[in-house]
Amino acid sequence: MPIEKERKDVGIADGEVSSGANVGLSSYELERLENIRQNQAFLSSINLLQANEELKKLTRPKPSQRGLMRPKAAVKEVLPARKSLRLQNIKAEPLALLPEPRVMLIMQKKPKKPPGPLPMVAVNMEEGSKLPSQLLELWSEDSTEERKMRLDLKEYRSALESMKITKDRVAKVVMEHIFSAAFHPSASSLLLATGDKLGKVELWKLGGDWGDDGVLFFEPHTGPVSCMAFSRAHPTQLLSLSYDGSLRCMDVEKAVFHDVYDTAEGLNTFDFMSHDCFTLVVGNSLGEVAIVDRRTPGNTHEFLHSLDPKTLRCVSVHPSQKQYFVVAGSKVVNIYDSRYLTKTESQAVSVLRGHSFSISSAYFSPHTGNRVLSTCMDNYIRIYDTSAMTTKSPLLTTIKHIRTGRYLTKLSAKWDPKQEDCFVVSSMAHPRMVQVFHESGQRQHSFIDTKHRHIVLSATAFHPTRNAFLGGNVSGRLYVFSD
């Protein structure tokens, strides 16, 4: 009789030893069943079976489904199998070789948007629908709230610790890599803006009921949106700049994107050069800065100055003495006076030495401008004393910091606009986190999402008045920590 049938007859299941199990079994089968019993007893004694069941339940948490949903892939058409001419008994005709092209195009660039104002039409809303009235009310809110005095470090750490993340503060706001992000200065509600890899600009109101879970997105550019900022003098205006060479201003009241500046060269960065935010300094990929006045008709610059032989990655204007601006170039960080710029070979007012690789960013401190914070690809963050604006600004602090991988946005340290001497930067340490430092190098706090410890939030920003912080990643999701 076969073994399986014999076991079935006596009622013995696989992995069990019951009373009377030795009926009709050979000595080999009896020994095998005893081994199974002993093995199970041993595994139970060390709780391995229970641990295995618990391990099966542990999986990486699914990303938030709030916000935009990626469209389902279209079903591929099944084509008939191809047959060669030889199998079809058809004689092949001789083919002449085509001449080798002199220039090989690696990537086809998407055509730039036409010049002039563009209608502000949300891509993820029904055709012909208007912008939500609540958005206009929030957008036009005049936020005059200011922090009366700088917090001491103990109070500041307490404020940071009060900022938490919840599932409703995570949303997919764009389909692609987030390059830039900013908070609207409104204090009543959290309204955020981001720019992505394909030139889209999105708006997300936490708790909003329009669009996709409060998310609206637009297409004013065709290249990565590397820099954006709300006007400090007119919060109803959001300016965004793209690699495609365009700089536009979102106007919700008129429902258009105004054409501010347009050039054939790629644009990397900009900042406001006047308190009314009408004059801008714009850096391009050729190492030039353009002075742009938004009140001048047209979309061209007033002046153009060559500062770096390679490229400019970041410009930052002094908060009170607007004639000064700091430039992060290929391997140098210099401070210039806009009143004494020449077309070529402009003399720097101050040189910030010590960088051995390319610089990701350099920013003046938000209230006094007495410090400059730089992030370099040599794995160091540096803080310089610029209070005296000497020829060589002294280096105050150096902080070791690991740079990003090749597929992430370069990490940049940025000041908290509410705190003169503290800044935030993402970390590549495990688990992934965002760290807040004092200018002395002392770490004040770490933002960690315990459910998503593997995510790098490369695009970061603090709210200008509220205790709120945002971080964006390469998958197009925003994470908001708030009190």
Side-chain angles (χ1 to χ4, degrees):
M1 180 183 293
I3 293 176
E4 294 299 327
K5 185 176 185 301
E6 189 174 347
R7 294 172 62 185
K8 181 178 179 182
D9 291 342
V10 296
I12 300 176
D14 209 14
E16 294 181 351
V17 179
S18 62
S19 62
N22 57 347
V23 179
L25 295 181
S26 65
S27 60
Y28 168 77
E29 280 294 298
L30 291 174
E31 182 179 357
R32 175 176 176 272
L33 293 175
E34 177 62 20
N35 288 339
I36 291 174
R37 185 191 66 78
Q38 293 179 3
N39 289 339
Q40 287 184 335
F42 173 73
L43 295 177
S44 298
S45 67
I46 63 174
N47 296 325
L48 187 61
L49 295 177
Q50 295 90 330
N52 184 43
E53 291 301 321
E54 293 178 2
L55 185 62
K56 291 179 180 179
K57 298 177 182 179
L58 293 177
T59 57
R60 176 173 288 184
K62 294 182 179 180
S64 170
Q65 301 304 308
R66 184 179 300 275
L68 304 180
M69 301 298 293
R70 189 175 294 275
K72 295 181 179 180
V75 179
K76 293 184 178 180
E77 181 182 359
V78 179
L79 300 176
R82 298 176 60 186
K83 291 184 179 180
S84 66
L85 295 178
R86 178 180 64 81
L87 293 177
Q88 299 179 60
N89 294 322
I90 300 176
K91 187 176 181 181
E93 297 180 1
L95 297 176
L97 294 177
L98 296 175
E100 184 177 352
R102 298 181 62 183
V103 179
M104 182 178 294
L105 295 178
I106 299 176
M107 182 179 67
Q108 183 68 33
K109 288 186 177 181
K110 194 174 180 180
K112 186 189 295 189
K113 298 286 183 179
L118 297 176
M120 190 177 169
V121 179
V123 179
N124 60 332
M125 291 185 68
E126 294 183 3
E127 186 176 355
S129 58
K130 296 182 179 181
L131 295 174
S133 58
Q134 302 95 327
L135 174 61
L136 179 58
E137 294 171 4
L138 179 61
W139 194 268
S140 304
E141 182 179 312
D142 184 16
S143 178
T144 57
E145 180 184 347
E146 294 289 341
R147 190 174 291 268
K148 295 181 180 180
M149 59 179 296
R150 189 177 63 186
L151 299 176
D152 60 37
L153 289 183
K154 184 177 180 180
E155 294 172 325
Y156 184 60
R157 283 192 295 268
S158 178
L160 294 174
E161 291 170 0
S162 69
M163 296 160 59
K164 307 296 181 182
I165 190 168
T166 56
K167 63 180 182 179
D168 59 334
R169 295 175 184 170
V170 180
K172 187 173 182 64
V173 295
V174 286
M175 291 299 182
E176 297 293 336
H177 185 156
I178 293 177
F179 269 67
S180 55
F183 271 109
H184 187 274
S186 168
S188 63
S189 299
L190 292 178
L191 177 63
L192 307 86
T194 61
D196 79 346
K197 180 180 179 180
L198 300 181
K200 295 182 177 63
V201 171
E202 69 76 32
L203 298 174
W204 177 35
K205 178 186 179 296
L206 270 70
D209 57 359
W210 58 67
D212 296 282
D213 295 319
V215 176
L216 300 175
F217 76 95
F218 311 86
E219 295 180 319
H221 309 282
T222 57
V225 182
S226 58
C227 187
M228 61 168 42
F230 286 94
S231 167
R232 291 183 289 270
H234 308 279
T236 57
Q237 300 172 353
L238 171 67
L239 282 81
S240 59
L241 171 146
S242 172
Y243 285 0
D244 66 9
S246 63
L247 172 61
R248 292 187 177 273
C249 176
M250 177 190 289
D251 187 337
V252 175
E253 187 175 7
K254 297 181 179 179
V256 297
F257 285 92
H258 297 292
D259 192 4
V260 176
Y261 182 53
D262 193 274
T263 177
E265 311 302 335
L267 300 179
N268 293 338
T269 178
F270 77 92
D271 199 3
F272 301 108
M273 289 197 76
S274 59
H275 293 286
D276 60 11
C277 296
F278 283 122
T279 307
L280 312 171
V281 55
V282 184
N284 66 23
S285 58
L286 296 182
E288 300 168 329
V289 293
I291 308 300
V292 178
D293 191 334
R294 296 165 56 196
R295 295 163 295 189
T296 302
N299 59 0
T300 186
H301 52 257
E302 307 295 319
F303 306 99
L304 187 66
H305 310 279
S306 180
L307 299 182
D308 190 286
K310 293 185 178 180
T311 187
L312 296 183
R313 294 186 175 87
C314 183
V315 294
S316 175
V317 176
H318 195 285
S320 56
Q321 303 179 65
K322 295 294 186 179
Q323 69 272 22
Y324 295 121
F325 62 94
V326 61
V327 169
S330 54
K331 287 187 180 181
V332 296
V333 176
N334 291 335
I335 299 175
Y336 293 92
D337 189 332
S338 60
R339 298 170 299 180
Y340 302 105
L341 292 177
T342 59
K343 189 173 183 179
T344 58
E345 299 180 356
S346 297
Q347 189 70 31
V349 174
S350 183
V351 179
L352 284 62
R353 301 188 183 277
H355 306 89
S356 55
F357 286 80
S358 62
I359 298 98
S360 303
S361 61
Y363 297 102
F364 275 112
S365 55
H367 298 294
T368 66
N370 290 341
R371 301 287 185 266
V372 165
L373 173 69
S374 72
T375 310
C376 183
M377 295 298 285
D378 61 6
N379 295 337
Y380 284 99
I381 295 171
R382 296 174 173 86
I383 298 99
Y384 293 85
D385 182 0
T386 55
S387 56
M389 206 65 73
T390 56
T391 305
K392 297 179 182 179
S393 296
L395 176 64
L396 295 179
T397 311
T398 302
I399 302 172
K400 180 74 173 179
H401 185 261
I402 302 174
R403 62 185 179 183
T404 63
R406 61 181 296 185
Y407 299 109
L408 299 177
T409 302
K410 293 179 181 178
L411 302 186
S412 296
K414 297 180 180 179
W415 298 105
D416 183 344
K418 303 181 294 297
Q419 196 77 6
E420 170 72 10
D421 52 2
C422 292
F423 62 89
V424 63
V425 64
S426 289
S427 172
M428 294 296 291
H430 294 278
R432 307 303 192 197
M433 64 185 72
V434 181
Q435 299 173 322
V436 180
F437 288 92
H438 182 257
E439 65 174 25
S440 63
Q442 292 181 328
R443 187 169 62 181
Q444 304 300 306
H445 185 67
S446 295
F447 292 106
I448 302 176
D449 183 358
T450 55
K451 293 185 179 180
H452 303 90
R453 293 171 175 262
H454 60 288
I455 294 174
V456 179
L457 303 179
S458 49
T460 60
F462 266 108
H463 195 282
T465 57
R466 286 185 54 173
N467 290 327
F469 164 81
L470 68 81
N473 68 356
V474 295
S475 70
R477 282 183 172 80
L478 271 182
Y479 297 76
V480 179
F481 296 78
S482 178
D483 55 10

